[in-house]
Amino acid sequence: MSESKRLPREREQAVTVEVDGSPVVCFAGETIATALLADGVAKFATRAGEPRQPLCNMGTCFDCSVVVDDRPLTRACLTPVADGMRISTGQGD
Ligand code: FES
């Protein structure tokens, strides 16, 4: 029988980020996209007035764009969370 190839289940240290003014607890090492999806955020950004969520999860589509610490167009799927980070969703055209 082969050895298990599952990823470890231990999570890193808990950190708190601010999402649209509310605190959200997540874990160091996670991306912003992971933290937002785990928190039930349904709209990361808008494009042509339509709500967007992560699509490619590899940095090419920008459907996961959020504002992080006043930096627009931050790709949530590529950016790790950091304690105290301020995240704004729902931005776009
Ligand atoms: S989900 Fe496509 S760039 Fe992040």
Side-chain angles (χ1 to χ4, degrees):
M1 182 175 232
S2 67
E3 191 172 313
S4 172
K5 295 186 179 187
R6 290 183 172 218
L7 296 173
R9 292 179 183 234
E10 296 85 27
R11 300 182 101 169
E12 299 289 329
Q13 177 182 356
V15 297
T16 302
V17 298
E18 182 184 298
V19 179
D20 297 330
S22 298
V24 171
V25 177
C26 46
F27 297 91
E30 293 179 341
T31 64
I32 294 172
T34 298
L36 295 183
L37 290 170
D39 193 53
V41 172
K43 181 174 69 175
F44 281 48
T46 60
R47 186 175 296 165
E50 296 294 324
R52 312 303 293 184
Q53 276 192 323
L55 179 64
C56 71
N57 283 308
M58 60 183 191
T60 59
C61 73
F62 280 76
D63 279 356
C64 65
S65 297
V66 292
V67 178
V68 176
D69 295 333
D70 300 321
R71 285 183 321 222
L73 293 176
T74 301
R75 289 171 287 181
C77 69
L78 297 180
T79 308
V81 294
D83 199 39
M85 184 178 263
R86 290 176 295 110
I87 303 163
S88 297
T89 65
Q91 308 293 316
D93 53 2

